[in-house]
Amino acid sequence: MISTKLISILKKATLSKDEIVFLLSLSGKEEIEKLYSRADEVRKEFCGDEIHLRGIIEFSNHCEQDCLYCGLRISNLELPRYRMTSKEILKTVNCIVEANIRTIVLQSGEDFSYTKEYISDIIRNIKEKYDVAITLSLGERSFEEYIDWRNAGADRYLLKHEIANPRLYSAFHNKQKLGDRIHHLQLLKAAGYQVGSGNIIGLPGQTFVDIADDILLCKELDCDMASFSPFIPSNGTPFRKVEKADVELTVKTIAVARIVLKDVHIPATTALGSLVENGREKGLKTGANVVMPNFTPHPYRQNYKIYEGKICITDDPLASVGCLNLMIEGLGRKVSDGKGHSLKLFKN
Ligand code: 5AD
């Protein structure tokens, strides 16, 4: 049975926090299906049927931070660490371009051994050679670095706020504060980046109200991209025995985020694909419009171990992209041949 309350909420242009919490707490099968089909309609209206592939290079798993949930945390002494050189990174960029993917995501732990200049040179080298967009995901750095990298040609920056509850944020991040994180996201916007934020679903103590706040924070920050990915435990962390996230809650969050945020890019994350079979497909059917195939070369990729059981660890990246293409075709959607810039850039 579908309640009249649900029908009236799904017709609204703007949702209150209470209404978002109501949607996240839906439990009837029919009502959840209704939520998913509304999210898919909103996705179609604002993003069309194109799916954007972003080729990700996880170029260093060294991290200064000590986040309680993350396998890359500095205190995890079990993890073999690696750093890729600019030469190795550029070779990997070439593989991504050969797979016809036009966004390069450069991601690492917070590794300050890569200086402002070193990263700027990599960005310039990529931009001189290829017609691609560059997304950086390097954690919290200085405003000067953000400006320099933007001037070198970086287009986008991903910095998830992780959890919008300040008390839980402080409990999970030994050195960081939520206010600082938000400040960095504002600096990135001011520096002219297309900015991505988002949360982790299923962290201990997190409530539906917290998840509603996560979605609303992405709205308030006017994010161009927003990622809602499930918690999966990692060995070598204090959260190794915490239950993994609920699949349905993760997918509901993606759907509600699409309905609330409308014209943002939302990925069907690798973590969702690792949590459950066909996870990325589920995400794409319920609001997501982006997938991020992993191009980190062997032998490094097995050690970018944010959580256990990450998919495609042994695969050849080109084969993974081939599978993604087939999956996307199967959904009746289309892989974009553009760079997939912010959906907000072309609006007045
Ligand atoms: N499970 C799922 N996602 C995680 N991340 C970090 N640790 C985990 C985990 N255990 C996410 C964070 C970070 C991104 C690179 O990985 O959201 O921003």
Side-chain angles (χ1 to χ4, degrees):
M1 255 279 285
I2 297 177
S3 65
T4 48
K5 182 172 178 186
L6 175 59
I7 292 171
S8 86
I9 292 177
L10 291 181
K11 279 189 189 143
K12 290 189 168 182
T14 313
L15 268 58
S16 68
K17 195 196 301 193
D18 284 349
E19 289 165 339
I20 294 174
V21 170
F22 174 83
L23 294 181
L24 291 169
S25 31
L26 289 175
S27 60
K29 196 164 179 289
E30 218 183 322
E31 292 207 317
I32 293 176
E33 283 306 321
K34 182 82 195 156
L35 169 73
Y36 292 168
S37 73
R38 179 65 194 141
D40 198 43
E41 265 173 36
V42 177
R43 185 272 307 157
K44 199 175 168 76
E45 181 183 346
F46 289 90
C47 316
D49 280 337
E50 290 199 330
I51 290 174
H52 302 284
L53 300 186
R54 323 290 199 195
I56 181 163
I57 310 174
E58 301 150 333
F59 65 86
S60 162
N61 69 350
H62 286 260
C63 191
E64 294 279 316
Q65 295 299 343
D66 213 10
C67 311
L68 266 58
Y69 47 80
C70 182
L72 304 193
R73 70 198 306 261
I74 190 166
S75 313
N76 181 6
L77 304 178
E78 292 170 24
L79 184 70
R81 304 280 172 167
Y82 69 87
R83 288 191 173 105
M84 286 171 63
T85 62
S86 59
K87 199 168 160 209
E88 288 174 307
I89 295 172
L90 290 168
K91 199 170 150 207
T92 313
V93 170
N94 194 59
C95 297
I96 298 177
V97 173
E98 284 188 348
N100 289 323
I101 293 176
R102 297 184 65 200
T103 292
I104 313 291
V105 182
L106 300 176
Q107 189 176 83
S108 66
E110 286 200 10
D111 184 354
F112 295 91
S113 72
Y114 290 85
T115 60
K116 181 180 82 178
E117 292 74 22
Y118 197 88
I119 297 288
S120 291
D121 281 348
I122 294 173
I123 296 166
R124 268 193 215 96
N125 272 314
I126 297 173
K127 284 285 184 160
E128 271 166 23
K129 202 154 171 214
Y130 305 106
D131 182 23
V132 292
I134 297 181
T135 304
L136 301 177
S137 179
L138 318 179
E140 291 180 19
R141 303 284 298 234
S142 68
F143 189 54
E144 202 193 328
E145 287 171 310
Y146 297 148
I147 297 276
D148 218 63
W149 297 335
R150 177 80 188 112
N151 288 337
D155 302 274
R156 312 181 189 137
Y157 206 104
L158 279 184
L159 184 72
K160 290 172 68 175
H161 68 263
E162 316 292 4
I163 185 154
N165 175 321
R167 186 181 51 82
L168 292 179
Y169 191 98
S170 294
F172 300 155
H173 303 96
N174 280 346
K175 293 179 257 176
Q176 298 164 293
K177 293 262 170 300
L178 179 63
D180 295 336
R181 193 67 154 194
I182 293 173
H183 184 57
H184 276 266
L185 285 159
Q186 290 162 339
L187 290 179
L188 287 162
K189 265 266 166 198
Y193 286 90
Q194 299 166 45
V195 171
S197 190
N199 79 346
I200 303 178
I201 296 152
L203 289 171
Q206 183 188 47
T207 63
F208 290 147
V209 174
D210 294 329
I211 298 178
D213 282 331
D214 287 323
I215 296 173
L216 288 170
L217 179 58
C218 291
K219 185 174 174 188
E220 196 182 310
L221 292 166
D222 195 22
C223 284
D224 302 281
M225 319 170 270
S227 165
F228 304 90
S229 61
F231 168 76
I232 302 175
S234 167
N235 295 336
T237 69
F239 285 3
R240 65 191 173 279
K241 295 214 169 99
V242 172
E243 191 72 23
K244 61 188 177 199
D246 180 64
V247 178
E248 192 163 78
L249 179 59
T250 308
V251 180
K252 277 197 284 185
T253 303
I254 292 174
V256 177
R258 170 59 68 204
I259 291 168
V260 174
L261 301 174
K262 299 184 172 68
D263 56 350
V264 300
H265 290 300
I266 300 181
T269 62
T270 305
L272 180 56
S274 306
L275 184 67
V276 62
E277 213 186 322
N278 302 329
R280 289 187 291 189
E281 197 171 346
K282 280 192 187 26
L284 291 172
K285 285 179 173 167
T286 56
N289 70 321
V290 168
V291 184
M292 298 170 72
N294 185 359
F295 280 78
T296 310
H298 299 292
Y300 304 126
R301 72 157 67 192
Q302 71 200 34
N303 289 326
Y304 201 79
K305 227 169 155 204
I306 291 177
Y307 51 82
E308 304 302 314
K310 196 167 171 195
I311 46 168
C312 309
I313 283 303
T314 55
D315 297 5
D316 162 46
L318 279 182
S320 296
V321 173
C323 290
L324 282 175
N325 274 302
L326 285 176
M327 184 260 273
I328 290 166
E329 252 176 55
L331 294 173
R333 309 263 282 278
K334 192 177 160 289
V335 176
S336 163
D337 55 14
K339 297 192 194 109
H341 279 308
S342 172
L343 299 159
K344 299 183 178 188
L345 282 183
F346 305 104
K347 285 205 313 203
N348 292 315

